[in-house]
């Protein structure tokens, strides 16, 4: 078993916090283990919990669409994970202590996958990974460096579904990701729209 599979087996059995008691499935993450881009969301919603896969509901559809326009997909370029691996009840935000308890799993995923670029989807990912006091509206669209990784914070897809006006700035953020990908990973990367 490789390191990622081994970690997945461990997380699947996790009972470190109360979220484990109500879950249908652990949502470990998915994508290419060789991905150079890692997208990090908040935590599973209803459909993710049912299916054990990240971003399979409405916001996942939008995420796949955005990635597609950038010329990226889950099987080749991107690995997708969340700050917490079990669904918070009623889709509430994960509590700070739930984030902290689950974080070592995400850190291990990052260490194993070694992506070049991290895309943080929304405030929970930003607060959970980088700084609990950081504001997504202030730092989105700017490159951060965290543990040597290039990090692009942007809005969560569900925020884009709630507020159409955020789509334009989010698109600008993803264009920066494509530019950085060409710079650092593949200068010939093709995308139809940017
Ligand atoms: N929202 C998230 O943050 N993560 C998912 O996996 C699904 C919806």
């Amino acid at each position: 078993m490789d390191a990622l599979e081994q970690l997945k087996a461990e997380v699947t059995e996790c009972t470190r916090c109360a979220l484990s008691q109500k879950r249908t499935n652990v949502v470990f993450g998915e994508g290419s283990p060789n991905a150079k881009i890692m997208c990090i969301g908040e935590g599973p919603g209803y459909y993710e919990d049912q299916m054990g896969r990240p971003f399979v509901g409405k916001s996942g559809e939008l995420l796949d669409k955005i990635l597609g326009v950038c010329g990226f997909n889950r099987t080749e370029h991107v690995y997708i994970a969340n700050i917490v691996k079990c669904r918070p009840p009623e889709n509430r935000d994960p509590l700070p202590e739930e984030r902290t308890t689950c974080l070592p799993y995400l850190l291990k995923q990052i260490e194993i996958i070694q992506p070049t670029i991290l895309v943080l989807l929304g405030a929970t990912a930003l607060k959970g990974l980088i700084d609990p006091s950081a504001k997504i509206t202030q730092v989105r669209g700017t490159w951060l460096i965290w543990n040597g990784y290039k990090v692009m914070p942007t809005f969560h897809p569900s925020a884009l579904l709630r507020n159409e006006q955020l789509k334009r700035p989010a698109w600008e953020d993803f264009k920066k990701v494509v530019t950085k990908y060409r710079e650092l990973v593949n200068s010939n990367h093709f995308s139809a729209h940017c």
Side-chain angles (χ1 to χ4, degrees):
M1 209 187 320
D2 67 21
L4 204 55
E5 284 298 313
Q6 211 168 321
L7 180 64
K8 183 174 181 176
E10 185 189 335
V11 178
T12 302
E13 301 292 317
C14 181
T15 54
R16 283 186 196 176
C17 84
L19 294 183
S20 63
Q21 292 163 15
K22 298 259 170 78
R23 73 178 174 228
T24 312
N25 285 293
V26 168
V27 178
F28 178 69
E30 71 174 28
S32 167
N34 302 312
K36 297 298 173 205
I37 300 174
M38 192 156 166
C39 289
I40 300 171
E42 178 176 312
Y46 174 81
Y47 293 104
E48 289 78 19
D49 174 67
Q50 289 294 308
M51 295 181 70
R53 295 179 54 210
F55 282 97
V56 290
K58 279 263 173 280
S59 56
E61 253 172 52
L62 179 56
L63 179 61
D64 283 340
K65 210 160 154 185
I66 297 169
L67 292 173
V69 173
C70 294
F72 300 136
N73 60 56
R74 297 184 189 213
T75 45
E76 213 180 322
H77 315 87
V78 179
Y79 190 93
I80 303 179
N82 282 306
I83 293 286
V84 295
K85 313 298 192 210
C86 298
R87 183 190 181 209
E90 316 301 329
N91 294 346
R92 64 159 169 74
D93 291 349
L95 302 172
E97 58 268 30
E98 291 162 351
R99 294 192 321 232
T100 312
T101 305
C102 211
L103 190 64
Y105 294 138
L106 179 64
L107 296 180
K108 192 86 193 154
Q109 283 174 300
I110 296 171
E111 189 188 315
I112 294 167
I113 294 164
Q114 296 270 311
T116 305
I117 298 168
L118 295 173
V119 179
L120 303 183
L121 302 169
T124 297
L126 175 68
K127 288 173 188 291
L129 193 67
I130 309 280
D131 174 2
S133 65
K135 298 262 185 299
I136 192 71
T137 45
Q138 278 171 11
V139 301
R140 63 137 281 273
T142 62
W143 285 108
L144 310 176
I145 306 286
W146 170 84
N147 285 358
Y149 295 100
K150 309 275 184 299
V151 179
M152 174 55 66
T154 188
F155 295 120
H156 192 283
S158 66
L160 310 184
L161 291 170
R162 285 194 303 269
N163 181 356
E164 283 271 319
Q165 294 195 346
L166 300 181
K167 283 188 176 172
R168 171 67 53 186
W171 174 234
E172 296 303 324
D173 302 346
F174 273 95
K175 281 203 282 194
K176 290 179 186 174
V177 172
V178 175
T179 302
K180 189 66 79 185
Y181 187 86
R182 288 201 181 106
E183 213 177 287
L184 298 178
V185 180
N186 177 6
S187 57
N188 293 319
H189 175 72
F190 176 78
S191 75
H193 299 283
C194 59

